[in-house]
Amino acid sequence: MAIQTSKLSDPAVRAFVAAVNAHDRDAFLDLLTPDATMSDDGSDRDLDDWIDREIFTSNGHMDVDTESDGGRALVAQYRNDTWGEMRTAWRFTITPDGHISRFETGQA
């Protein structure tokens, strides 16, 4: 059973999932530090290219199954128009002021 987005523990992660699911690129980018980085399956990627391709032009959507590490680690069913649905793991690095400086994702 998926965890409702509004019930996720970490405010930045909660806002990240909400922005992905609302396809709100501006809200998504507002959550990130200016120098934010990310990786997919262990390889660093160009953040702007990746989010456009994997989230915003392909109707990305996350249904969170579990959270750990105070809400900064998720296992979610992720789907988009390119790859279909897959079980994914997400880890977030959050700055003291509540922004995301890094996220890592990959198959779970």
Side-chain angles (χ1 to χ4, degrees), residues 6-83:
S6 63
K7 304 286 190 204
L8 294 172
S9 300
D10 187 278
V13 173
R14 183 169 56 242
F16 179 99
V17 174
V20 167
N21 290 347
H23 309 289
D24 188 338
R25 190 177 193 278
D26 290 338
F28 182 95
L29 291 175
D30 285 346
L31 296 167
L32 304 179
T33 62
D35 60 348
T37 61
M38 61 87 50
S39 70
D40 185 2
D41 285 328
S43 298
D44 277 18
R45 308 285 187 192
D46 178 276
L47 187 133
D48 287 327
D49 175 65
W50 190 91
I51 65 171
D52 284 342
R53 187 178 67 251
E54 299 292 338
I55 300 173
F56 295 107
T57 64
S58 61
N59 297 306
H61 188 88
M62 298 174 74
D63 288 317
V64 177
D65 293 330
T66 63
E67 65 173 0
S68 57
D69 191 25
R72 294 181 178 188
L74 307 177
V75 174
Q77 294 297 325
Y78 187 80
R79 65 181 177 274
N80 66 25
D81 294 343
T82 305
W83 304 108

